[in-house]
């Protein structure tokens, strides 16, 4: 069968460097770090005392008090980003067939804040089990997609994908397939995460996964620098409106970009570490290229997973060289996690948005915090777009996300041409 073409017609973002898409994009181009001391809980005794938190987010700016109490923060974040994306897409809800509009999100952890609070309240209580009637619905990871559908009346496919830090990229790929196969006209997709809690920070601290640069949080996320010592946890949400091309054209929608292809793979190697030779990353990128019917030379920019971990950065850089060959040295590469931190299950969504805007605006956001300290295991002939955004024609961009468990996902976006 002839697969339908899929385009992006709306964007929404709630991130540590900006609470709307324009603010997010401006901050990326300016090289702004979203890292700051943790205020969500008292982190004084933790090895890591900082994260990339949202700035100025107040639930009651978006929800009435009664409603806000029913939703975990991750669901709130998803709803807010979805509202912006839907408004940006200028959908006429009176004209749309809501049976053919779906919601597919990526959620890595879900309502960990609610889970932690309810269990701690019970453990410190008088022994009588007392739980909120909203405990389960706040905790479960599928609730965000359900709430978005309830708010807007969307009755199309509705579910959540979980593949750790690749969750929202996996969700976007799944949403693309729903439209390609004719099962929906429009899918609201992306991801959300609110992992900055005592158990979230403590758990990753025990794995030695987080940076402990407490004296300088804003420089802690430093992908591809020799002095990197782990990732910086982030929170927020990103949402995209994906639309079948003919449907978008019929309603005169603006089109940011077209989806080129998607790929996925497994490292089948380790609980948390990337394959040292980047085998899973290579497979995921190659499958996305094959799906897009594109060659390596068609890619201009790679938004890398680039978490600022000792092993992960080395293996991803090696994978790019192995797959792209000489063209690897003609690419721009950058890790926007150097600014936003690592949004876990939502990382792929905001990084896909960054890739789309790079294609639309012909500019590549930087990898910040590189101070010239080179790792002998990384080839610095690659253009990591260190410290300053670079203008160049970006006809196609590739975005990588890799999750614990060795689950990898890649998305390619390209300029829309009729």
């Amino acid at each position: 069968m002839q697969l339908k073409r899929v385009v992006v017609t709306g964007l929404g973002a709630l991130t540590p460097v900006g609470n709307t898409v324009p603010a997010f994009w401006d901050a990326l181009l300016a090289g702004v770090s979203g890292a700051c001391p943790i205020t969500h809980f008292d982190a004084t005794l933790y090895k890591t005392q900082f994260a990339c938190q949202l700035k100025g987010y107040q639930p009651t700016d978006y929800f009435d008090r009664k409603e806000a109490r029913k939703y975990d923060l991750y669901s709130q974040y998803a709803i807010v980003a979805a509202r912006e994306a839907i408004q940006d897409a200028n959908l006429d809800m009176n004209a749309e067939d809501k049976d053919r509009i779906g919601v597919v999100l990526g959620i890595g952890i879900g309502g960990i804040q609610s889970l932690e609070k309810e269990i701690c309240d019970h453990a410190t209580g008088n022994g009588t089990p007392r739980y909120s009637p909203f405990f389960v619905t706040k905790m479960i990871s599928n609730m965000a997609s359900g709430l978005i559908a309830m708010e807007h009346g969307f009755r199309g496919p509705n579910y959540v994908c979980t593949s750790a830090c690749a969750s929202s990229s996996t969700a976007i790929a799944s949403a693309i397939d729903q439209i390609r196969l004719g099962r929906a006209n429009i899918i609201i997709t992306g991801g959300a995460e609110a992992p900055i809690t005592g158990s979230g920070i403590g758990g990753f601290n025990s794995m030695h996964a987080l940076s402990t640069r407490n004296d300088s949080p804003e420089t802690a996320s430093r992908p591809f620098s020799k002095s990197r010592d782990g990732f910086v946890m982030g929170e927020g949400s990103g949402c995209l409106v994906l639309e079948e091309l003919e449907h978008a054209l019929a309603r005169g929608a603006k089109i940011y970009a077209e989806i080129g292809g998607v790929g996925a793979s497994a490292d089948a190697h380790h609980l948390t570490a990337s394959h040292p030779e980047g085998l899973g990353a290579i497979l995921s990128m190659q499958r996305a290229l094959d799906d897009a019917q594109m060659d390596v030379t068609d890619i201009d920019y790679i938004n890398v997973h680039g978490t600022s971990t000792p092993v992960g950065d080395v293996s991803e850089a090696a994978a790019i060289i192995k797959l792209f060959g000489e063209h690897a040295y003609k690419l721009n590469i950058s890790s926007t996690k150097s600014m936003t931190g690592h949004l876990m299950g939502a990382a792929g969504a905001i990084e896909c948005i960054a890739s789309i805007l790079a294609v639309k605006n012909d500019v590549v956001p930087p990898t910040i915090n590189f101070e010239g300290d080179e790792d002998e295991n990384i080839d610095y002939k690659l253009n990591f777009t260190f410290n300053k955004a670079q203008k160049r024609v970006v006809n196609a961009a590739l975005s990588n996300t890799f999750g614990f468990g060795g689950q990898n996902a890649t998305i390619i976006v390209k300029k829309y041409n009729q």
Side-chain angles (χ1 to χ4, degrees):
M1 63 179 291
Q2 182 69 36
L3 296 178
K4 297 181 182 295
R5 293 169 66 183
V6 181
V7 293
V8 182
T9 58
L11 300 173
L14 184 63
T15 79
V17 296
N19 292 353
T20 64
V21 169
F24 166 61
W25 182 240
D26 287 347
L28 290 188
L29 296 187
V32 174
S33 170
C36 62
I38 290 170
T39 59
H40 286 336
F41 66 96
D42 183 359
T44 304
L45 298 180
Y46 287 75
K47 294 178 182 177
T48 296
Q49 299 168 9
F50 61 93
C52 285
Q53 295 184 173
L54 299 183
K55 313 298 186 297
Y57 177 81
Q58 294 295 331
T60 51
D61 290 342
Y62 303 95
F63 309 94
D64 66 45
R65 291 185 183 277
K66 184 177 179 180
E67 188 180 23
R69 286 197 297 269
K70 296 179 182 179
Y71 308 153
D72 187 89
L73 280 177
Y74 93 91
S75 289
Q76 294 181 27
Y77 296 167
I79 293 167
V80 171
R83 287 174 182 170
E84 183 186 10
I86 291 165
Q87 182 177 15
D88 185 42
N90 196 29
L91 293 172
D92 181 353
M93 294 303 182
N94 293 321
E96 292 295 336
D97 180 357
K98 293 184 180 181
D99 291 353
R100 293 187 57 78
I101 303 178
V103 185
V104 178
L105 297 182
I107 310 293
I109 297 175
I112 188 171
Q113 181 195 55
S114 298
L115 177 65
E116 180 181 303
K117 181 182 184 303
E118 294 287 336
I119 291 175
C120 287
D121 286 351
H122 172 63
T124 57
N126 61 10
T128 302
R130 295 186 186 280
Y131 286 88
S132 164
F134 302 110
F135 170 44
V136 172
T137 55
K138 290 172 76 173
M139 176 189 65
I140 53 179
S141 60
N142 69 302
M143 193 50 59
S145 63
L147 289 169
I148 292 168
M150 292 175 209
E151 179 168 291
H152 300 281
F154 300 150
R155 293 179 293 271
N158 191 292
Y159 53 93
V160 158
C161 298
T162 298
S163 50
C165 302
S167 294
S168 52
S169 293
T170 303
I172 293 168
S174 183
I176 290 163
D177 285 343
Q178 291 285 349
I179 297 173
R180 281 175 163 178
L181 295 171
R183 295 171 178 164
N185 296 332
I186 297 169
I187 299 281
I188 315 304
T189 188
E193 209 78 278
I196 305 173
T197 69
S199 57
I201 295 292
F204 282 102
N205 266 161
S206 70
M207 299 169 65
H208 305 287
L210 297 180
S211 171
T212 56
R213 196 180 290 267
N214 293 313
D215 58 339
S216 182
E218 67 279 0
T219 67
S221 184
R222 45 180 58 211
F224 306 107
S225 294
K226 185 174 184 177
S227 55
R228 66 193 184 279
D229 69 332
F231 72 83
V232 178
M233 188 177 287
E235 63 174 349
S237 178
C239 283
L240 298 75
V241 175
L242 298 183
E243 194 164 350
E244 191 271 320
L245 173 61
E246 294 304 320
H247 185 275
L249 293 175
R251 70 179 189 87
K254 71 175 182 299
I255 295 174
Y256 282 99
E258 182 172 2
I259 299 298
V262 296
S265 72
D267 283 352
H269 169 67
H270 189 270
L271 283 173
T272 59
S274 302
H275 193 286
E277 298 175 15
L279 296 186
I282 292 169
L283 280 172
S284 185
M285 290 187 286
Q286 183 62 67
R287 287 167 179 167
L289 288 165
D290 291 345
D291 186 46
Q293 298 182 342
M294 297 171 75
D295 189 76
V296 294
T297 56
D298 295 320
I299 303 299
D300 301 301
Y301 166 50
I302 299 179
N303 186 298
V304 290
H305 187 56
T307 55
S308 188
T309 56
V311 174
D313 289 5
V314 171
S315 65
E316 187 171 10
I320 290 169
I321 292 171
K322 287 177 183 177
L323 178 60
F324 284 81
E326 286 303 310
H327 186 65
Y329 302 101
K330 300 176 183 178
L331 296 164
N332 272 76
I333 296 166
S334 74
S335 171
T336 47
K337 287 186 180 74
S338 62
M339 295 170 279
T340 66
H342 191 350
L343 270 66
M344 317 300 284
I350 66 166
E351 290 159 18
C352 186
I353 291 171
S355 301
I356 290 164
L357 293 174
V359 167
K360 180 178 183 293
N361 296 300
D362 288 322
V363 60
V364 175
T367 304
I368 67 168
N369 294 327
F370 182 69
E371 298 173 349
D373 53 325
E374 296 189 354
D375 183 334
E376 60 273 15
N377 298 305
I378 293 175
D379 186 348
Y380 289 94
K381 293 192 295 291
L382 294 172
N383 182 359
F384 290 106
T385 322
F386 283 133
N387 298 325
K388 187 176 180 180
Q390 293 181 14
K391 293 184 177 181
R392 65 164 293 168
V393 174
V394 184
N395 288 311
L398 180 151
S399 179
N400 279 332
T401 47
F402 310 141
F404 281 178
Q407 295 162 328
N408 310 303
T410 299
I411 300 170
I412 295 174
V413 294
K414 63 182 183 179
K415 289 189 188 300
Y416 165 66
N417 294 305
Q418 291 183 336

